[in-house]
Amino acid sequence: MLKEIRIQNFAIIENLVVNFEKGLNILTGETGAGKSIIIDALNLLVGGRADTDSIRTGEATALVEGIFQISDAETLAMVHEIGIESDDGEVHIKRQISNSGKNRCFLNDSQITVATLAKLGDRLVDLHGQHDHQALLHPEIHVELLDLFGKSKPSLDKFAKEFSDYQGQVKKLKSLKTDEQERLQREEFLGFQIAEINAANLSEDDEEEIKAEKNKLRHAEKIRSGLQQSQTLLSEQSGSILENLRQILKELEPLVEVDKDLAAPFERSQSAFYELEEVEDALRSHDRNLEFNPGRLEEIEDRLAEITGLKRKYGNDVLEILEKRDQFATELEQLAGNEENMKQLSADIVDKEKVVSKLAIALADKREAGAKSLKSGVEKELKELHMNGVRFGVKFSYPPDVGGFVEYRKEKLKPTSLGLGTLEFLFSPNPGEDLRPLAKIASGGELSRIMLALKSILNEQDTIPVMIFDEVDAGIGGRVAEKVGDKLKKVSETKQVFCITHLPQIAGMASCHYRVEKHVQGKRTRSGIRQLEFEERVEEVARMSSGEKITAASLKHARELILGDAPLKKTGKGKT
């Protein structure tokens, strides 16, 4: 329920705070006092369209805040999914609009998008006006109302899931079939790429080893020259390193027996001599094995060119080329299995069509049965609203489809995400007239009463806790007004209902009565609202009955209307 609303700088409302109660909340006041402005502000609070023209003249921003108490588990779950905690079920919604075009929404002080607010608002408030907000003008809403009444929403959800799966399978199979030629071309190309990489017989270290060998061959002469020079310095020339080191050992050896401290230098010199001998052998061996082979160098150049060409196509290095080859092989294997996949997918689609068909037929049957009950229920409610002689109906249309896989009433049909065919509410306001589409024939007042009738019989199934009726009394009065009031009172037993009315019969039914007033102060117009005490209610209802001149009789009648013991009589606007 809506516990409190705060409005600042919205239209002619400067600053307003009002607390609301459970049950039937009635708003009355003179024409132009600002009753509908309050409803507009509430509509803004639950995600309605923002208009900068609604900002009070001379102000930069307008602000609407509301506190809702939520008891529905699914709505609370949505709040938690948004990331908002509310242990006691109370949420604070704030909406700010500015002349700059900025539009900010908050839920418990956390900023949210307008789309998120609108989604939550759809579960909090059901707003019905005479024209703009009448969902009955849109046939696409009719299936939702019928499913709600006939409790076929779970059947629709189950069908919709299976149908969505079916559509996905059909799309996948179509894609596979459409791409068959492309698949064959892709297989051939992948095979060529894999063969090209395999022919190169690459290994991860291949490129580095070849580059090293290339470098060695290109500098063979330089290497040989260095080797030979090193060998000369080590042993081949007079006064070579080894010759001198050998002489050092000869000089030190006899001295070691005389001076033990020379043992260590002697041993190190001896080790150096043996180490250099091994170096000489290694250099000599390397020199013998070193060769300059122009043919091998050409082979290496060709091999490197081959690797470079593969890198341009498949990767930055040999490792990436090998990884790419493995990817090609995996894709080729998958493509090779496509034919088998198509066969299996085709079989799965046939099985899924049987499931979808069964669910679609069950849903259609349930809707047909629900439509009969809805027809009698709405007509009964409308009769109680003194709409005698009117007829209400639900028209189902099932366009045939030769290629459809669902057979219903001996006709092949094509299902949609909403089931089989379409439906629309029909209405006949006068005896003898044919049923016609509701949206085309019903007047504003009739639409309001039809919606009230629907909401009366849908009261238990509908989980939206707050209902707002703006101008539900259009074009009615007398006994009809009393019946409308009765219906609103009945709905308010399980819902919090707000109703703007000009009729005393409806105002007398209020659980809480609020008067909206407009006054001028300092050349500025301001609108306010206040909850009326019992005697104030009596005066307000009397004013609504007799105008500005309130008489003792009108006060007596107002008191009777509020206390519920007023005699039935033709009063108020319009005709009985």
Side-chain angles (χ1 to χ4, degrees):
M1 63 170 284
L2 175 62
K3 297 174 66 175
E4 178 182 295
I5 189 170
R6 295 172 177 263
I7 306 172
Q8 293 181 2
N9 301 325
F10 188 78
I12 60 173
I13 297 176
E14 183 179 33
N15 197 339
L16 178 151
V17 180
V18 59
N19 296 305
F20 294 113
E21 305 292 339
K22 295 180 180 179
L24 179 57
N25 294 267
I26 294 293
L27 279 67
T28 61
E30 298 292 343
T31 300
K35 301 184 295 299
S36 293
I37 294 174
I38 294 174
I39 301 302
D40 291 341
L42 181 54
N43 186 42
L44 185 72
L45 187 65
V46 291
R49 182 177 175 274
D51 188 349
T52 55
D53 289 339
S54 298
I55 300 173
R56 182 171 169 82
T57 301
E59 301 294 338
T61 61
L63 181 68
V64 182
E65 300 179 73
I67 298 175
F68 287 86
Q69 184 68 44
I70 303 174
S71 58
D72 179 62
E74 290 187 15
T75 305
L76 283 173
M78 179 185 292
V79 171
H80 292 153
E81 286 175 7
I82 295 170
I84 305 299
E85 295 299 325
S86 178
D87 295 332
D88 59 358
E90 186 173 281
V91 297
H92 177 203
I93 298 175
K94 181 164 63 175
R95 181 91 179 267
Q96 183 184 62
I97 58 176
S98 66
N99 283 321
S100 66
K102 290 184 178 180
N103 192 340
R104 304 175 70 194
C105 309
F106 297 88
L107 180 60
N108 284 9
D109 295 324
S110 295
Q111 190 162 355
I112 59 175
T113 65
V114 176
T116 299
L117 177 59
K119 187 177 180 182
L120 177 61
D122 285 342
R123 299 190 64 88
L124 294 178
V125 175
D126 193 3
L127 195 154
H128 301 285
Q130 184 176 353
H131 290 293
D132 294 339
H133 303 293
Q134 278 292 14
L136 288 180
L137 294 174
H138 308 290
E140 59 268 21
I141 301 299
H142 299 175
V143 66
E144 295 180 19
L145 292 171
L146 179 59
D147 283 338
L148 187 62
F149 173 78
K151 297 180 180 180
S152 49
K153 182 66 163 58
S155 298
L156 171 61
D157 292 342
K158 189 174 181 180
F159 162 80
K161 180 185 180 304
E162 295 293 341
F163 183 70
S164 178
D165 291 345
Y166 163 77
Q167 286 182 307
Q169 290 176 329
V170 170
K171 183 178 180 180
K172 184 176 180 181
L173 181 61
K174 183 179 180 181
S175 177
L176 289 175
K177 288 180 176 179
T178 302
D179 298 340
E180 181 66 9
Q181 184 61 37
E182 184 180 336
R183 180 183 68 83
L184 293 174
Q185 293 175 351
R186 180 65 175 164
E187 281 185 347
E188 183 179 353
F189 185 54
L190 287 172
F192 166 78
Q193 290 178 307
I194 293 171
E196 184 179 33
I197 296 173
N198 285 338
N201 196 25
L202 298 173
S203 64
E204 290 186 21
D205 301 325
D206 204 8
E207 186 176 15
E208 293 305 316
E209 291 175 355
I210 293 173
K211 283 183 177 179
E213 185 180 358
K214 174 187 175 182
N215 195 46
K216 182 178 176 181
L217 287 171
R218 288 182 62 186
H219 298 88
E221 291 298 330
K222 184 178 180 181
I223 294 170
R224 169 156 289 162
S225 175
L227 288 172
Q228 291 176 351
Q229 182 65 25
S230 297
Q231 291 174 62
T232 300
L233 292 171
L234 275 172
S235 63
E236 293 179 357
Q237 68 179 9
S238 177
S240 66
I241 295 173
L242 284 174
E243 182 180 333
N244 288 332
L245 192 52
R246 187 180 294 110
Q247 184 62 37
I248 291 171
L249 291 173
K250 186 183 293 186
E251 294 293 335
L252 289 176
E253 186 174 11
L255 298 178
V256 171
E257 294 181 5
V258 178
D259 187 352
K260 298 299 183 184
D261 291 337
L262 293 174
F266 175 77
E267 290 175 358
R268 293 177 66 184
S269 298
Q270 195 174 42
S271 295
F273 180 80
Y274 295 146
E275 184 71 22
L276 287 173
E277 278 190 327
E278 291 180 6
V279 170
E280 181 194 22
D281 289 341
L283 293 177
R284 197 177 303 280
S285 175
H286 196 78
D287 188 26
R288 285 196 301 266
N289 294 326
L290 185 66
E291 62 175 336
F292 176 68
N293 188 343
R296 176 57 182 162
L297 183 59
E298 187 176 346
E299 289 177 5
I300 289 174
E301 294 285 5
D302 291 342
R303 177 66 165 164
L304 287 174
E306 180 183 28
I307 293 174
T308 301
L310 293 174
K311 285 165 63 176
R312 280 198 299 267
K313 292 182 179 180
Y314 305 117
N316 295 317
D317 53 40
V318 171
L319 182 59
E320 283 192 20
I321 294 172
L322 295 175
E323 289 176 349
K324 185 68 73 173
R325 179 197 59 187
D326 293 340
Q327 292 175 12
F328 292 156
T330 300
E331 184 181 353
L332 184 60
E333 184 178 354
Q334 292 173 344
L335 290 173
N338 267 10
E339 186 174 353
E340 186 61 33
N341 291 341
M342 284 192 291
K343 289 180 181 179
Q344 182 60 51
L345 189 54
S346 296
D348 291 344
I349 288 174
V350 172
D351 292 339
K352 183 66 72 173
E353 284 179 346
K354 294 176 182 177
V355 174
V356 171
S357 178
K358 184 177 180 180
L359 292 174
I361 291 171
L363 176 61
D365 285 340
K366 200 163 189 177
R367 283 173 173 168
E368 292 271 4
K372 293 178 181 178
S373 298
L374 182 66
K375 168 184 165 58
S376 59
V378 171
E379 287 182 346
K380 179 176 178 295
E381 293 287 334
L382 292 177
K383 187 175 181 180
E384 291 178 3
L385 290 170
H386 288 255
M387 294 180 72
N388 297 314
V390 302
R391 289 187 297 144
F392 179 85
V394 181
K395 178 185 178 183
F396 291 90
S397 298
Y398 300 108
D401 181 52
V402 178
F405 62 88
V406 180
E407 185 172 336
Y408 187 63
R409 295 179 176 174
K410 298 181 179 180
E411 287 242 51
K412 291 284 188 179
L413 305 177
K414 183 178 182 179
T416 69
S417 58
L418 292 178
L420 296 178
T422 59
L423 66 90
E424 185 175 10
F425 290 166
L426 303 180
F427 182 66
S428 173
N430 301 302
E433 292 187 12
D434 292 336
L435 286 166
R436 296 181 182 178
L438 181 67
K440 296 181 179 179
I441 193 171
S443 66
E446 289 167 337
L447 282 172
S448 296
R449 279 175 278 172
I450 293 170
M451 178 57 82
L452 181 57
L454 284 166
K455 289 300 177 180
S456 295
I457 62 177
L458 290 171
N459 201 19
E460 293 183 5
Q461 294 93 333
D462 194 348
T463 59
I464 300 177
V466 180
M467 295 184 63
I468 300 173
F469 289 92
D470 186 8
E471 303 293 342
V472 72
D473 57 8
I476 63 172
R479 291 180 180 270
V480 178
E482 291 175 15
K483 289 298 181 180
V484 168
D486 287 336
K487 295 296 180 186
L488 290 171
K489 192 71 174 177
K490 181 181 177 182
V491 172
S492 71
E493 291 174 3
T494 55
K495 302 279 193 298
Q496 184 187 34
V497 177
F498 291 85
C499 180
I500 293 177
T501 186
H502 296 281
L503 298 182
Q505 296 93 331
I506 296 177
M509 299 282 186
S511 303
C512 294
H513 190 157
Y514 301 85
R515 176 172 171 81
V516 181
E517 299 170 323
K518 181 173 66 175
H519 59 278
V520 178
Q521 182 179 357
K523 297 183 179 181
R524 291 301 302 272
T525 302
R526 292 173 173 82
S527 181
I529 184 173
R530 61 189 181 88
Q531 185 175 351
L532 303 180
E533 299 294 338
F534 179 77
E535 291 302 327
E536 291 176 313
R537 285 187 63 194
V538 172
E539 289 186 15
E540 176 69 0
V541 173
R543 180 192 64 78
M544 297 171 72
S545 297
S546 60
E548 292 302 324
K549 186 178 180 181
I550 299 176
T551 64
S554 63
L555 287 170
K556 179 176 181 297
H557 182 63
R559 196 177 300 273
E560 291 170 344
L561 284 174
I562 294 171
L563 295 175
D565 55 358
L568 298 179
K569 54 189 280 188
K570 296 181 181 180
T571 58
K573 300 179 180 180
K575 299 180 179 179
T576 303

